[in-house]
C-alpha cells in the first residue's frame, strides 16, 4: 500500500511516471544543482531512469523520495522524503536520510520545511526509525536552515563526491 501524507498546503505521494516532465524541469536547472555537484540532467531519458530508481527503492526498502504536490493547483513542485542509504557515507551505512529538492519557482515559500517536517514525523512516529540523518553542502544556507529548524544537530564536516558537506543527525526520543 503506498504512503500518502498531507500537510496544510501539500500532498506527499509516490513519484509516478506521469511526473516525468516535472522531474526534468527540476533536474535540468543548473541553479537547482548548484550545491549537488553541478551536474544537472540533460535528457528526459535520464529523468525517467531517476524515476525508475526511486520507484525501485519503494519496493526494496518500503520508503524513498516522494512527490510534493501543491494541493491548491495539483502541481508537482519537487520531491522530499526519507531514503534508505546503503552506500557508506561519513562512516555510516544502511541508514535513513531525509532530503528534498524543489523547482526554483517554488523556493522560499516554506514548502521545504513543511514537507520535511511531515516526513520527519512520519519517520519517527510511524516507521519508528531510531536516528534520521541528513547532509548538505556547507554553503547551502536554505537546506541548512531547514535542517536546523527541524531540530537536527550538526555533527561534522565531511566530503561526499568531492563536495564539502555538513552532517546532521536527530534521534527519536520516544524509543
Ligand atoms: C534548499 C531548498 C530545498 C530550500 O527549500 P525552500 O522551500 O525554499 O525552503 P523554505 O521556504 O522551507 O525555507 C525554510 C527556511 O530557510 C530559509 N531559507 C530558504 N532558502 C534560503 C537561502 N537560500 N538562504 C537563506 N535562508 C534560506 C527560509 O527563509 C526559511 O526560514 P524561516 O523559516 O526562518 O523563515 C530549495 O532551495 C531547493 O530545492 N534547492 C535546490 C536543491 C537543494 O539544494 N536541495 C537540498 C540538498 S541538501
Amino acid at each position: 500500500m503506498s504512503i500518502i501524507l498531507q500537510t496544510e498546503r501539500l500532498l506527499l505521494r509516490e513519484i509516478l511516471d506521469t511526473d516525468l516532465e516535472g522531474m526534468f524541469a527540476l533536474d535540468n536547472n543548473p541553479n537547482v544543482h548548484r550545491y549537488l555537484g553541478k551536474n544537472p540532467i540533460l535528457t528526459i531519458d535520464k529523468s525517467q531512469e531517476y524515476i525508475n530508481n526511486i520507484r525501485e527503492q519503494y519496493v526494496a526498502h518500503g520508503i524513498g523520495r516522494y512527490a510534493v504536490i501543491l494541493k491548491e493547483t495539483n502541481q508537482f513542485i519537487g520531491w522530499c522524503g526519507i531514503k534508505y542509504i546503503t552506500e557508506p557515507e561519513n562512516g555510516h551505512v544502511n541508514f535513513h536520510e531525509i532530503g528534498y529538492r524543489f523547482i526554483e519557482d517554488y523556493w522560499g515559500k516554506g514548502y521545504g520545511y513543511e514537507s520535511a517536517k511531515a516526513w520527519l514525523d512520519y519517520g519517527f512516529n510511524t516507521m519508528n526509525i531510531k536516528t534520521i540523518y541528513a547532509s548538505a553542502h556547507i554553503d547551502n544556507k536554505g537546506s541548512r536552515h531547514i535542517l536546523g529548524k527541524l531540530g537536527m544537530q550538526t555533527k561534522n564536516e565531511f566530503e561526499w563526491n568531492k563536495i564539502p558537506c555538513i552532517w546532521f543527525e536527530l534521534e527519536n526520543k520516544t524509543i
Side-chain angles (χ1 to χ4, degrees):
M1 201 183 62
S2 76
I3 307 162
I4 296 183
L5 303 184
Q6 285 205 54
T7 66
E8 192 189 332
R9 298 176 295 171
L10 308 170
L11 184 76
L12 312 176
R13 60 135 174 87
E14 279 191 3
I15 292 182
L16 304 168
D17 284 339
T18 46
D19 297 320
L20 181 58
E21 217 176 290
M23 285 291 275
F24 185 63
L26 174 69
D27 283 309
N28 184 237
N29 180 349
N31 295 336
V32 169
H33 280 259
R34 181 171 177 196
Y35 299 118
L36 309 174
K38 296 194 168 69
N39 205 6
I41 279 179
L42 302 176
T43 67
I44 197 117
D45 288 354
K46 277 277 167 211
S47 290
Q48 182 64 58
E49 273 177 37
Y50 202 64
I51 291 177
N52 297 346
N53 185 275
I54 288 171
R55 293 193 58 80
E56 280 163 19
Q57 289 162 27
Y58 300 154
V59 179
H61 305 298
I63 196 69
R65 308 306 197 194
Y66 275 63
V68 179
I69 308 295
L70 265 191
K71 277 191 198 169
E72 201 181 341
T73 58
N74 209 27
Q75 257 161 316
F76 170 94
I77 65 165
W79 57 251
C80 179
I82 297 171
K83 181 177 176 184
Y84 190 66
I85 308 279
T86 55
E87 298 287 313
E89 198 178 318
N90 192 31
H92 293 260
V93 71
N94 297 336
F95 61 94
H96 288 97
E97 180 224 58
I98 194 154
Y100 30 68
R101 192 176 297 178
F102 296 92
I103 292 173
E104 192 173 1
D105 288 350
Y106 300 98
W107 291 0
K109 299 176 194 305
Y111 298 137
Y113 175 75
E114 190 170 322
S115 52
K117 177 80 176 96
W119 278 115
L120 195 79
D121 290 346
Y122 183 87
F124 281 158
N125 303 331
T126 305
M127 293 177 69
N128 289 318
I129 298 170
K130 178 69 186 142
T131 309
I132 294 183
Y133 300 88
S135 61
H137 189 294
I138 54 169
D139 296 329
N140 194 343
K141 293 203 184 78
S143 183
R144 290 184 61 171
H145 202 100
I146 290 173
L147 297 171
K149 210 172 149 180
L150 289 170
M152 298 194 74
Q153 322 267 301
T154 53
K155 288 292 167 184
N156 67 298
E157 289 187 17
F158 70 106
E159 272 205 356
W160 180 81
N161 287 346
K162 302 206 172 118
I163 302 173
C165 292
I166 302 245
W167 184 258
F168 290 79
E169 301 183 8
L170 186 61
E171 271 204 28
N172 189 345
K173 297 280 186 308
T174 65
I175 54 172

